[in-house]
Amino acid sequence: MENRFNLIDEPWIPVVDHGRVSLRLIFSNPEYRSLGGNPVQKIALLKLLLAIAQAASTPEDEVEWRALGVQRLAERCLAYLDEWHERFYLYGEKPFLQMPKVADLIEKRTELKVNSATSGAKKKEAELNGEPKSLGAGFYPDLPSSNNTVLSHTLVERNLSDADKAIFVVSIMNFAFGGKRVEGDMDSLHGKLMGNRYSAPAGPSMGGWTGYLHSFLLTGSILSDIWINTLTESDVRKAAVWPQGIGKPIWEELPSSEGCEIANQYKSSYMATLVAMSRFSLLAGNGIYYMDGLNYPSTKNGWFESGLILDRSGSDIKTKYVDPEKRPWRELEGLLSFIDGNKTQGFDCLALRIGIERGREHFLQFAVWAGGLKVSVNSGDQSVKQSDDFVESIVWLHGAALGKPWIDQLKREMSDLESLSNILWSKVFSYFKSLKADNGKKKENTHAGKAASQAKHLFWQLCEREFQNLVDHCDQTDEAGVQRRKLRQRFADYIQQAYDKFCPRETARQLDAWAKCRPNNSKYLNQEV
């Protein structure tokens, strides 16, 4: 096959304010601020860039990491890309992150099915099943089902460009949805029998349930983002979860099957958390051959990625999941709980813990980014339905201000806002109950409960626009105290706005209920801040 569309030279990576750029340009231009695409694509692309950086120059410890610096790391990455240029073709004899052998397996299955067909219809069905599967819109890291519901123009099937196909292939390595849309009714490359309803596990970055939340430290420069998130050999040894250490990237030596020695060693390396290869695929025409790939242990078994947010305080390791109803910025104080020195409670994220220490030393400002995709699960099949959605939040921090007083103040402010939102819920609920709007048994399923939940959601949406301002004024100066009091007045106004939005006062009965149930924010406003 002809080698073409080399990812080092061709523009395919979305970059804010610059459009599509190549890998070579990413490592050559410090002015690129941030990656584009949806949150899953951003995570997958950042992981790929980190894998290249780790392969090009993994420092031994923090001293070596500091000496490496952004510019030297970029230069070594460029040298690495030149050395491995032949392995970055999207199409060819060794297509990037793809397994040409899967086409032979599917061809063999198709031939057997066609030869054993008892009718023309069965023969035609076997031939169609042997064709490459559609990539759909390429928006999600998954193939469309035969009865896929189109909710917006972003889900309409289309012929993807080579650049979009490259992003799709990179995304499915870590974030492939679990389910039955992989090839089945055949033996795998390792000889495992896969029935015609074979269900593949989800990619490790997605997780087998509703979708993991990921978090990384960002700096406002893609090159600096790569540098600050690059782990050292010492970091990997201390984590004690990847027996093979950093490892080498999968494109340097592809496994022959999902159970070969190369695959087993790769799954035990840190590199596998960056580019997982959870699907064996091959682009063909406008479609893709799509099979189950490398399977990974769950976080309960101790395997994890540096960007995952884990709670180890109990007997079982818990992982933070994506929740569109509670956007990540609302849990910032939990993500940063390690700042106050308490290591036994709250969530911990290896990427944040290492990154923030570095950020304090080398940057005046840096940001905590968190994001992911919420999915639904039905009999092992993951899909995007109803309220499922992408989420992401970015909050900028001043390194000099971070410390126990700052995090304690942030915790207090967020706790008070949470109390305020709960009061709003109860007041809206009481308003409708006083009007005898319904008599449902479960509060959340009644009209009153739904209206109360919507009001609460609106309140948090309004608060989000001021959250960065709150974070900037959680230090203990007099000026910060003045600003926090102004913000409290604004948040109290948002409570009234949300209440008025969902509790009309057009009739005498409504006006009486509105006045009786109206939230009183005096306690919140009169507290010392």
Side-chain angles (χ1 to χ4, degrees):
M1 294 180 64
E2 177 191 1
N3 288 335
R4 64 184 182 86
F5 202 85
N6 194 287
L7 305 184
I8 298 173
D9 305 315
E10 300 285 348
W12 66 283
I13 302 173
V15 172
V16 174
D17 297 332
H18 290 273
R20 307 269 187 166
V21 303
S22 65
L23 281 171
R24 190 182 304 281
L25 286 177
I26 283 282
F27 289 104
S28 302
N29 292 278
E31 71 270 16
Y32 293 160
R33 293 190 298 110
S34 61
L35 295 168
N38 63 50
V40 161
Q41 291 169 347
K42 290 178 182 178
I43 299 169
L45 290 170
L46 177 59
K47 283 175 174 285
L48 173 64
L49 298 177
L50 288 174
I52 293 170
Q54 299 282 178
S57 184
T58 295
E60 173 59 31
D61 52 28
E62 285 299 298
V63 174
E64 202 170 295
W65 175 83
R66 289 189 203 95
L68 181 63
V70 177
Q71 185 57 40
R72 188 177 299 179
L73 176 60
E75 290 170 357
R76 292 185 181 181
C77 289
L78 288 170
Y80 176 85
L81 292 176
D82 286 338
E83 179 184 358
W84 292 93
H85 188 274
E86 294 299 308
R87 297 296 176 89
F88 282 83
Y89 283 105
L90 189 62
Y91 307 98
E93 295 180 0
K94 295 182 178 180
F96 187 67
L97 299 183
Q98 298 170 68
M99 292 285 281
K101 290 182 180 180
V102 303
D104 297 332
L105 290 180
I106 295 169
E107 183 180 354
K108 180 180 177 181
R109 182 196 65 187
T110 302
E111 184 178 348
L112 289 172
K113 291 287 186 182
V114 168
N115 291 338
S116 62
T118 57
S119 66
K122 290 288 186 182
K123 180 179 179 180
K124 183 65 174 177
E125 180 184 359
E127 291 173 342
L128 288 175
N129 288 336
E131 294 293 318
K133 295 178 180 290
S134 170
L135 286 85
F139 193 64
Y140 297 117
D142 185 40
L143 304 184
S145 62
S146 56
N147 61 345
N148 198 43
T149 301
V150 178
L151 301 177
S152 71
H153 71 281
T154 60
L155 302 181
V156 176
E157 291 194 23
R158 57 193 178 93
N159 290 332
L160 302 184
S161 66
D162 289 334
D164 288 327
K165 289 178 182 178
I167 295 174
F168 181 82
V169 168
V170 171
S171 298
I172 62 174
M173 293 300 106
N174 291 72
F175 285 94
F177 288 4
K180 303 177 182 66
R181 285 184 285 281
V182 295
E183 297 286 353
D185 201 16
M186 57 196 286
D187 288 341
S188 72
L189 290 172
H190 196 61
K192 180 177 72 174
L193 178 62
M194 301 184 297
N196 60 2
R197 295 294 292 165
Y198 177 76
S199 183
S205 298
M206 177 61 68
W209 191 235
T210 58
Y212 289 144
L213 185 69
H214 297 256
S215 190
F216 294 95
L217 206 74
L218 302 183
T219 63
S221 163
I222 294 177
L223 282 182
S224 294
D225 295 346
I226 298 168
W227 178 58
I228 205 168
N229 285 290
T230 296
L231 296 192
T232 67
E233 296 278 6
S234 177
D235 294 329
V236 172
R237 286 194 296 269
K238 288 177 182 176
V241 71
W242 305 295
Q244 295 295 322
I246 294 292
K248 60 182 179 181
I250 198 76
W251 56 80
E252 289 188 12
E253 190 175 16
L254 284 175
S256 59
S257 72
E258 71 275 17
C260 70
E261 185 62 25
I262 293 174
N264 291 332
Q265 289 183 0
Y266 186 71
K267 289 192 294 184
S268 298
S269 70
Y270 171 65
M271 197 66 74
T273 72
L274 301 177
V275 182
M277 206 164 190
S278 63
R279 293 291 180 269
F280 289 164
S281 61
L282 179 68
L283 293 172
N286 289 322
I288 189 171
Y289 293 117
Y290 193 69
M291 286 180 60
D292 191 12
L294 305 186
N295 297 163
Y296 296 84
S298 70
T299 54
K300 290 184 178 180
N301 302 121
W303 192 94
F304 69 92
E305 302 179 6
S306 63
L308 291 182
I309 304 159
L310 308 174
D311 183 358
R312 305 172 186 273
S313 59
S315 56
D316 293 329
I317 299 175
K318 297 180 181 179
T319 311
K320 181 68 72 176
Y321 292 97
V322 172
D323 182 1
E325 295 298 314
K326 189 175 183 180
R327 294 173 62 82
W329 64 268
R330 289 175 56 187
E331 302 183 272
L332 179 66
E333 79 279 9
L335 299 182
L336 303 180
S337 58
F338 60 86
I339 289 177
D340 64 8
N342 190 342
K343 298 181 180 179
T344 61
Q345 294 182 351
F347 286 89
D348 179 48
C349 176
L350 181 63
L352 290 186
R353 185 154 36 85
I354 293 173
I356 284 178
E357 287 302 313
R358 292 172 171 178
R360 283 167 152 175
E361 182 178 352
H362 297 279
F363 297 90
L364 292 176
Q365 264 193 318
F366 48 84
V368 171
W369 182 93
L373 172 62
K374 166 72 166 58
V375 296
S376 295
V377 184
N378 183 14
S379 301
D381 272 14
Q382 291 178 323
S383 58
V384 177
K385 295 181 178 179
Q386 297 172 343
S387 61
D388 296 340
D389 202 357
F390 294 104
V391 301
E392 65 176 317
S393 294
I394 184 167
V395 182
W396 288 89
L397 306 174
H398 296 273
L402 295 186
K404 192 174 188 307
W406 179 88
I407 194 70
D408 286 346
Q409 185 67 49
L410 180 62
K411 286 179 179 179
R412 179 186 172 188
E413 296 296 333
M414 292 306 296
S415 176
D416 289 347
L417 281 177
E418 194 69 48
S419 297
L420 211 59
S421 73
N422 290 334
I423 291 172
L424 171 65
W425 192 98
S426 66
K427 293 298 184 181
V428 174
F429 184 84
S430 297
Y431 167 88
F432 283 99
K433 291 299 288 184
S434 67
L435 294 175
K436 295 181 172 53
D438 50 45
N439 292 302
K441 293 182 180 179
K442 287 188 176 181
K443 286 184 177 181
E444 60 273 17
N445 292 333
T446 63
H447 177 71
K450 291 177 180 178
S453 296
Q454 290 174 333
K456 187 175 179 179
H457 185 65
L458 174 60
F459 168 70
W460 285 115
Q461 283 184 312
L462 294 171
C463 288
E464 184 171 6
R465 66 181 68 170
E466 296 292 346
F467 183 67
Q468 182 65 63
N469 197 10
L470 177 62
V471 168
D472 292 341
H473 293 98
C474 277
D475 54 297
Q476 300 305 301
T477 64
D478 292 339
E479 175 59 27
V482 171
Q483 292 300 320
R484 287 198 299 273
R485 187 160 295 285
K486 291 180 179 178
L487 284 170
R488 284 196 167 224
Q489 183 61 62
R490 207 162 297 162
F491 293 141
D493 290 343
Y494 292 155
I495 285 287
Q496 300 301 336
Q497 287 183 38
Y499 179 78
D500 291 347
K501 170 82 173 176
F502 288 92
C503 300
R505 52 187 190 277
E506 296 175 356
T507 67
R509 287 184 66 238
Q510 288 177 344
L511 183 59
D512 182 59
W514 177 87
K516 184 172 70 173
C517 300
R518 194 165 184 257
N520 184 344
N521 300 320
S522 58
K523 181 178 178 181
Y524 173 72
L525 293 172
N526 292 331
Q527 284 181 343
E528 287 293 327
V529 296

